[in-house]
């Protein structure tokens, strides 16, 4: 029984919290954070672009435009930084999601949000906000958005992308929640559905009366490029001008609007990153081609790709207009803080002509004639390519993945009628996605705790944007650091030290004075070696602090992965592999439309889970693995998962396994003379994946729905693979 004194205390505490939340509800602003995916620096009309974005332009003209807003150079690490106020390494997503590489690389490489951080939703939920999420999650599927502070969610939680045309790819959370808006594939388009759900959640928030936080994370305009044909076709005439003419038009517009000053120089087309020739369209390490040098039929293919890209942004903007209309009608617009940005610069993947996943030869397909009408429609898969991405990033250099300005600098718009003084200003001080957490703490009155859910938290790294709202400029001596797949940078004051990785033609450090050379055109490394060494030392100290591998030394629980450049075969034609091998895509056997035979000699011991062999990821591939000691075979065909499960536990002692996928798609797994698995795939495996062939792990995007650490900690004595 509860004693009277304790009961009185509980009642008083309850009344106090109700009063506190009531006060907060009357004074705290509503917050909407809109994040788009792979949109370039100048795609918006308010940053120089020709895409129709009247509603976002309205926010810019009645708010602030930040010219030096930095991100983490790629989708998932940027999301980790935005959601937590930490460098992505501190949040557990140094490079990418979908793999736990902590035993090999250290704690920064967990592949999902760790427990030593809080999300924006968790913090705001703690001070009475209703919290809503829509769209792309991409910070680890092991925990759902509703596990990390969101009351309601609609979107997708696995992978970097999925078809915009398939309603079944998206889900309403929490599990069991009735879908307010029911869709079938016919008429479904994800960007519009995200906008509709944003509005639905805002209506729910209005009824509750609490301040709300909405995180609207669009997957547009990330590949696959998909958009309604009517909107796409409205842009065809524009993009027939080509990227050279449009880049000049954007730059002139940027001058007229005051974005570009004398320190900005118009740049040449960026180099195509170094990759295999079929991926880079024979332009690896070379500048993108001039538009006039592209054959006319290829030009028209590229026009349709870019028109689809623009249409995706157009539909994002249409949704913003509907959100603004709803807020105005409800009287909520004046006290709503809206932040809009992109997770990185425009995406180069893979070469100037883009790629098509369904292509059988390389990645790039030429679309001609009637086939052009299908570009961006259901069942298609396209990217825009590196040359159009040079247009999107005008006038900045390079792209997503790299930490040059074209990769890690995005437009940022802040709109808040009651909270921003002297609107329609350019803010030229450097800021970062890590600043959104301290900004929302500031405006909501929330405090960031030292512990949460019995976990000690990493202190946040960012700085509030509130002084900019009031017209108070920050010091230019702020230090920001970057590292993504060994592409590294440090920004200190006006100086920036940056280097590319093995996809950049020059791996050495470059030094720029951004106050005088905003677009990184004049490398000053030879003229200022002392400044370069000073910045490199400061970057190295940061790298050790946030545990960037290999600068952070740690104890390895397992031997490092052995990357194989060339496989050996036995007399029967089997490729010979061993535990821990990782065969890069370019050296792995191409299984497309092939029968497969795998022979393994395995000692499970006490280990009950882990991958024995995998090749592929969330779009295409296969995996043989153990779960609770039971063998399972999973296969991905165009993203659709097929899984076949044995009925008995694998013995602990050494055993031989034989896996066969025959030409008819029949699957069988045998142990000695005993059949463990039988099944039938609708077709043979398709589409040679980006992911490596691995023995004992599935370290990139996963084939199976594992919900486990994929690394197998038993022992694989021998692995043999043959394709027929």
């Amino acid at each position: 029984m509860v004693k009277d004194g304790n009961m009185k205390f509980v009642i008083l505490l309850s009344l106090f919290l109700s009063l506190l939340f009531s006060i907060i509800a009357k004074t705290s602003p509503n917050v909407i954070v809109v994040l788009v995916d792979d949109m370039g620096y100048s795609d918006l009309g308010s940053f120089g672009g020709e895409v129709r974005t009247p509603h976002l332009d309205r926010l810019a003209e009645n708010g602030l435009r930040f010219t030096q807003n930095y991100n983490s150079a790629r989708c998932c690490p940027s999301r980790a930084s935005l959601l937590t106020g930490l460098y992505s390494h501190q949040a557990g997503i140094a490079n990418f999601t979908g793999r736990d590489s902590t035993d090999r690389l250290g704690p920064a490489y967990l592949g999902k949000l760790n427990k030593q951080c809080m999300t924006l939703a968790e913090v705001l939920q703690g001070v009475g906000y209703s919290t809503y999420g829509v769209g792309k999650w991409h910070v680890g599927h092991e925990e759902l958005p509703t596990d990390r502070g969101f009351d309601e969610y609609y979107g997708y939680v696995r992978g970097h992308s999925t078809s915009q045309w398939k309603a079944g790819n998206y889900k309403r959370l929490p599990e069991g929640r009735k879908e307010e808006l029911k869709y079938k594939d016919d008429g479904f388009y994800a960007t519009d559905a995200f906008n509709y759900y944003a509005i639905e959640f805002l209506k729910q928030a209005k009824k509750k009366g609490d301040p709300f936080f909405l995180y609207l994370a669009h997957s547009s305009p990330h590949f696959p490029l998909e958009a309604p044909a009517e909107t796409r076709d409205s842009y065809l005439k524009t993009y027939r001008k080509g990227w050279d003419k449009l880049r000049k038009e954007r730059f002139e517009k940027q001058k007229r609007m005051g974005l570009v000053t004398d320190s900005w120089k118009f740049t040449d087309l960026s180099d195509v990153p170094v990759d295999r020739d079929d991926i880079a369209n024979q332009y690896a390490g070379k500048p993108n081609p001039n538009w006039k040098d592209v054959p006319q039929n290829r030009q028209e293919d590229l026009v349709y790709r870019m028109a689809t890209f623009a249409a995706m942004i157009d539909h994002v903007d249409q949704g913003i207009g509907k959100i603004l209309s709803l807020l105005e009608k409800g009287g909520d617009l004046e006290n709503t803080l809206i932040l809009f940005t992109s997770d990185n610069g425009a995406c180069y993947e893979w070469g100037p002509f883009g790629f098509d996943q369904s292509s059988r030869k390389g990645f790039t397909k030429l679309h001609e004639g009637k086939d052009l009408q299908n570009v961006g429609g259901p069942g298609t898969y396209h990217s825009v390519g590196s040359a159009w991405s040079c247009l999107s990033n005008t006038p900045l250099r390079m792209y997503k993945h790299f930490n040059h300005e074209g990769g890690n600098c995005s437009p940022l718009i802040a709109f808040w009628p009651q909270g921003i003084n002297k609107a329609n200003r350019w803010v030229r001080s450097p800021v970062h996605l890590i600043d959104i957490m301290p900004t929302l703490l500031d405006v909501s009155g929330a405090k960031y705790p030292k512990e949460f859910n019995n976990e000690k938290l990493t202190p946040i790294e960012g700085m509030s944007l509130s002084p900019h709202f009031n017209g108070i400029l920050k010091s230019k001596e702020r230090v920001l650091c970057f590292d993504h797949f060994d592409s590294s940078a440090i920004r200190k004051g006006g100086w920036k030290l940056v280097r590319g990785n093995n996809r950049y033609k020059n791996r050495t450090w470059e030094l720029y004075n951004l106050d005088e050379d905003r677009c990184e055109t004049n490398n000053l490394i030879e003229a200022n070696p002392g400044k370069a060494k000073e910045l490199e030392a400061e970057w190295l100290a940061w790298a050790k602090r946030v545990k960037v591998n290999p600068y952070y030394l740690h104890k390895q629980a397992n031997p490092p992965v052995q990357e194989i450049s060339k496989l050996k075969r036995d007399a029967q034609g089997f490729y010979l592999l061993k535990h821990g091998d990782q065969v890069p895509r370019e050296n792995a056997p191409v299984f497309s439309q092939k029968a497969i035979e795998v022979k393994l000699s395995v000692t499970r011991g006490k280990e009950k889970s882990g991958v024995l062999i995998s090749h592929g990821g969330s779009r295409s591939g296969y995996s043989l693995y153990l779960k609770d000691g039971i063998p399972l075979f999973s296969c991905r065909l165009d993203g659709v998962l097929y899984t076949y499960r044995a009925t008995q536990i694998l013995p602990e002692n050494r055993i031989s396994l034989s896996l066969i996928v025959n030409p008819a798609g029949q699957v069988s797994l045998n142990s000695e003379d005993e059949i463990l698995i039988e099944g039938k795939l609708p077709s043979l495996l398709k589409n040679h994946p980006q992911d490596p062939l691995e023995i004992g792990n599935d370290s990139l995007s996963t084939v199976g729905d594992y919900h486990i650490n994929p690394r197998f900690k038993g022992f694989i004595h021998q692995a043999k693979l043959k394709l027929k």
Side-chain angles (χ1 to χ4, degrees), residues 306-379:
M306 187 61 193
T308 307
F309 178 92
M312 296 174 82
I313 299 173
D314 192 317
H315 278 260
V316 169
D317 186 77
Q318 291 176 35
I320 296 296
K322 293 172 183 176
I323 290 171
L324 295 179
S325 178
L326 179 70
L327 293 173
E328 280 184 306
K329 289 178 181 178
D332 296 313
L333 185 61
E334 289 295 305
N335 197 30
T336 298
L337 169 61
I338 302 175
L339 298 171
F340 176 93
T341 190
S342 179
D343 59 359
N344 43 247
C347 177
Y348 74 87
E349 294 170 279
W350 291 106
F353 305 150
F355 74 87
D356 303 77
Q357 181 161 329
S358 61
S359 176
R360 292 285 177 257
K361 295 182 179 179
F363 287 89
T364 305
K365 179 181 178 181
L366 175 63
H367 301 272
E368 298 182 277
K370 293 182 179 179
D371 188 31
L372 287 167
Q373 295 301 316
N374 298 322
V375 172

Side-chain angles (χ1 to χ4, degrees), residues 265-278:
K265 300 293 187 293
F266 186 70
T267 53
D268 295 331
L269 292 166
S270 293
D271 289 345
V272 177
V274 176
D275 217 319
R276 282 190 5 236
D277 279 344
D278 57 334

Side-chain angles (χ1 to χ4, degrees), residues 200-457:
E200 170 61 28
F201 288 157
L202 293 180
K203 290 178 179 177
Q204 292 182 17
K206 184 69 173 177
K207 290 179 181 178
K208 291 178 68 175
D210 298 327
F212 62 77
F213 166 58
L214 170 66
Y215 173 52
L216 175 52
H218 277 290
S219 52
S220 287
H222 191 290
F223 62 80
L225 300 178
E226 294 171 321
E230 182 179 0
T231 315
R232 176 202 66 195
D233 290 352
S234 70
Y235 284 98
L236 294 176
K237 182 179 179 180
T238 296
Y239 291 109
R240 287 188 178 118
K241 294 180 180 181
W243 48 68
D244 293 322
K245 184 174 182 180
L246 287 169
R247 288 184 75 236
K248 291 177 181 177
E249 288 183 2
R250 284 198 185 188
F251 193 66
E252 289 304 313
K253 183 179 177 182
Q254 289 171 332
K255 286 181 181 178
R256 292 193 302 271
M257 64 174 48
L259 168 58
V260 164
T261 63
D262 291 342
S263 65
W264 300 61
K265 300 293 187 293
F266 186 70
T267 53
D268 295 331
L269 292 166
S270 293
D271 289 345
V272 177
V274 176
D275 217 319
R276 282 190 5 236
D277 279 344
D278 57 334
I279 291 175
N281 310 133
Q282 313 301 316
Y283 283 91
K286 303 174 184 176
N288 281 282
N290 294 321
W291 180 254
K292 64 180 177 61
D293 296 328
V294 177
Q296 197 280 327
N297 58 350
R298 176 67 70 185
Q299 285 185 357
E300 193 67 1
D301 170 284
L302 288 164
V303 165
Y304 272 80
R305 291 174 190 260
M306 187 61 193
T308 307
F309 178 92
M312 296 174 82
I313 299 173
D314 192 317
H315 278 260
V316 169
D317 186 77
Q318 291 176 35
I320 296 296
K322 293 172 183 176
I323 290 171
L324 295 179
S325 178
L326 179 70
L327 293 173
E328 280 184 306
K329 289 178 181 178
D332 296 313
L333 185 61
E334 289 295 305
N335 197 30
T336 298
L337 169 61
I338 302 175
L339 298 171
F340 176 93
T341 190
S342 179
D343 59 359
N344 43 247
C347 177
Y348 74 87
E349 294 170 279
W350 291 106
F353 305 150
F355 74 87
D356 303 77
Q357 181 161 329
S358 61
S359 176
R360 292 285 177 257
K361 295 182 179 179
F363 287 89
T364 305
K365 179 181 178 181
L366 175 63
H367 301 272
E368 298 182 277
K370 293 182 179 179
D371 188 31
L372 287 167
Q373 295 301 316
N374 298 322
V375 172
T380 64
Y381 200 106
H382 317 290
S383 77
V384 73
S386 56
W388 281 128
S389 290
C390 291
L391 169 67
S392 288
N393 286 336
T394 304
L396 306 180
R397 289 181 54 226
M398 296 305 289
Y399 332 80
K400 164 186 175 179
H401 178 99
F402 301 96
N403 275 304
H404 289 77
E405 295 289 289
N408 72 354
C409 194
S410 299
L412 171 64
I413 297 170
F415 171 89
W416 183 16
Q418 283 188 12
I420 291 178
N421 296 327
K422 297 180 182 178
N424 197 16
R425 286 186 281 120
W426 296 102
V427 179
R428 301 188 184 275
S429 299
V431 299
H432 194 288
L433 292 182
I434 58 177
D435 296 340
I436 291 179
M437 173 67 85
T439 302
L440 300 195
L441 292 173
D442 203 359
V443 302
S444 69
K447 303 295 182 185
Y448 196 81
K450 293 183 178 180
E451 292 187 2
F452 182 68
N453 288 340
N454 298 317
E455 293 280 352
K456 185 177 179 181
L457 299 180

Side-chain angles (χ1 to χ4, degrees), residues 476-710:
K476 290 186 178 181
E477 270 305 302
R478 185 175 185 188
V479 178
L480 294 169
C481 294
F482 310 86
D483 187 82
H484 181 64
F485 282 109
D486 299 325
S487 177
S488 313
I490 177 171
R491 169 76 194 263
K492 184 177 183 180
W495 290 98
K496 181 177 179 182
L497 187 71
V498 59
R499 65 184 177 191
N501 55 20
N502 58 4
R503 288 184 179 172
Y504 186 65
K505 65 178 184 180
N506 181 9
R507 183 70 180 87
T508 59
W509 288 108
E510 301 165 9
L511 180 67
Y512 300 99
N513 185 335
L514 298 189
D515 287 343
E516 301 173 357
D517 178 24
R518 180 69 180 84
C519 301
E520 301 172 312
T521 61
N522 183 23
N523 183 4
L524 301 174
I525 191 87
E526 292 185 4
N528 294 271
K531 174 59 71 173
K533 288 181 180 179
E534 171 197 325
L535 293 175
E536 183 179 11
E538 196 160 350
W539 178 87
L540 183 59
W542 169 85
K544 292 178 179 177
R545 180 169 67 84
V546 302
K547 301 177 174 53
V548 177
N549 186 277
Y551 309 99
Y552 168 73
L553 300 177
H554 64 283
K555 182 179 179 181
Q556 293 182 338
N558 285 324
V561 169
Q562 300 180 45
E563 293 192 3
I564 307 299
S565 60
K566 189 174 182 180
L567 290 173
K568 296 180 180 179
R569 296 201 200 196
D570 66 9
Q572 288 76 43
F574 280 93
Y575 293 102
L576 303 177
L577 301 121
K578 59 183 180 298
H579 197 152
D581 282 349
Q582 184 183 83
V583 185
R585 179 190 194 278
E586 57 269 25
N587 304 117
V590 179
F591 58 60
S592 303
Q593 302 299 318
K594 301 279 184 69
I596 299 171
E597 184 174 0
V598 175
K599 293 182 179 293
L600 299 171
S601 177
V602 178
T603 297
R604 177 173 72 83
K606 300 296 182 181
E607 296 300 323
K608 294 185 177 180
S609 298
V611 173
L612 303 178
I613 182 172
S614 70
H615 188 190
S618 58
R619 295 296 307 171
S620 176
Y622 64 89
S623 174
L624 178 64
Y625 60 100
L626 301 180
K627 187 173 182 179
D628 298 324
I630 296 174
L632 293 90
F633 176 73
S634 283
C635 179
R636 292 270 183 181
L637 299 176
D638 291 331
V640 179
L641 177 64
Y642 299 88
T643 298
Y644 307 96
R645 180 187 179 97
T647 58
Q648 62 191 69
I649 294 176
L650 205 67
E652 294 183 9
N653 55 301
R654 183 167 177 169
I655 191 169
S656 296
L657 298 173
S658 175
L659 169 69
I660 295 175
V661 180
N662 73 15
Q666 192 72 35
V667 177
S668 64
L669 177 69
N670 296 340
S671 172
E672 312 300 344
D673 296 324
E674 186 176 6
I675 298 175
L676 302 180
I677 291 177
E678 287 186 300
K680 178 71 167 60
L681 292 169
S683 70
L684 287 175
L685 288 150
K686 306 175 181 179
N687 305 331
H688 191 48
Q690 288 297 313
D691 304 59
L693 166 64
E694 297 185 78
I695 306 300
N697 203 4
D698 188 356
S699 64
L700 297 184
S701 65
T702 55
V703 176
D705 190 10
Y706 302 136
H707 297 294
I708 58 172
N709 183 338

Side-chain angles (χ1 to χ4, degrees), residues 35 37-38 72-83 88 91 93-98 111-113 136-140 159-160 215 343-344 400 484-485:
L35 182 70
D37 200 339
D38 286 5
S72 302
R74 204 185 197 120
C75 317
C76 43
S78 287
R79 280 165 172 72
S81 290
L82 183 153
L83 285 168
S88 63
I93 307 178
N95 286 342
F96 213 72
T97 58
K112 59 184 178 183
L113 290 183
K136 173 176 172 176
W137 183 232
H138 205 206
V139 285
H160 58 66
Y215 173 52
D343 59 359
N344 43 247
K400 164 186 175 179
H484 181 64
F485 282 109

